[in-house]
Amino acid sequence: HEFNFGLDFLEAAISGANFPYINANVYHHDGDNDAANDVNRYDPFYIQDKQVVDINGNAQTIKIGYIGFTPPQVMQWDKSNLEGHVIVKDIVQSAEKFVPQMIAAGADVIIAIPHSGLTASAREDLAENSALYLSEVESIDAILFGHNHRIFPGDPAYNDLDAAGIDNINGTLNGVAAVMPGFFGNHLGVIDLLLQ
């Protein structure tokens, strides 16, 4: 929804933010100039040094990497704001491109934050609902997603999908911790990771 009011409005909002804005699958658009079309419009990821205390009471610093995505369908939903200005690439392909860069930059933990929903249907290029397929990208440790306005784990719509890799009891997608906390702030999603 960041594009609903146009790019100028978004740029003004970002310029006043005291937190990083990340997006890995929105690129500059420059017609047929393929080189320009492969330049991210925003920082694709952010790595945060986080102080934690281990089970022995010792302070440790871990590097948490965050990577964000928007649904490619914004090019349809917000066409009047975006056409000719940006292009939006596939969520999973963008993750496959940048997650290795995050590891090379020292990330100990990688958290994917897609504005994307959950489906058990076969993966397609430029898919709107890619949370399940992000879980197949090597080295992603957790997925904080939302788009379907549902709750995961727990919504009965996701029952009986174990064969697809969706564990609606334990809150994992192909074994990767994941949460979708409803909509309009009606739930808080919490993931615990045991680090070693």
Side-chain angles (χ1 to χ4, degrees), residues 53-75:
V53 177
D54 66 22
I55 60 173
N56 297 316
N58 298 318
Q60 305 286 346
T61 300
I62 59 173
K63 292 184 178 293
I64 303 176
Y66 306 90
I67 183 167
F69 308 93
T70 198
Q73 286 67 28
V74 295
M75 292 303 297

Side-chain angles (χ1 to χ4, degrees), residues 2-3 21-27 40-45 67-71 88 98:
E2 59 266 66
F3 300 114
Y21 178 82
I22 53 172
N23 181 291
N25 67 323
V26 174
Y27 291 78
N40 287 82
R41 185 172 177 107
Y42 309 101
D43 292 333
F45 59 84
I67 183 167
F69 308 93
T70 198
V88 183
F98 287 111

Side-chain angles (χ1 to χ4, degrees), residues 173-196:
L173 303 176
N174 291 310
V176 176
V179 66
M180 175 167 50
F183 58 97
F184 300 149
N186 63 357
H187 287 75
L188 175 68
V190 177
I191 288 178
D192 291 321
L193 296 176
L194 179 62
L195 306 182
Q196 191 171 22

Side-chain angles (χ1 to χ4, degrees), residues 146-185:
H147 183 49
N148 297 136
H149 289 198
R150 296 185 181 274
I151 298 165
F152 180 82
D155 190 309
Y158 302 118
N159 287 345
D160 305 317
L161 294 175
D162 291 345
I166 299 172
D167 185 336
N168 198 28
I169 302 297
N170 297 306
T172 61
L173 303 176
N174 291 310
V176 176
V179 66
M180 175 167 50
F183 58 97
F184 300 149

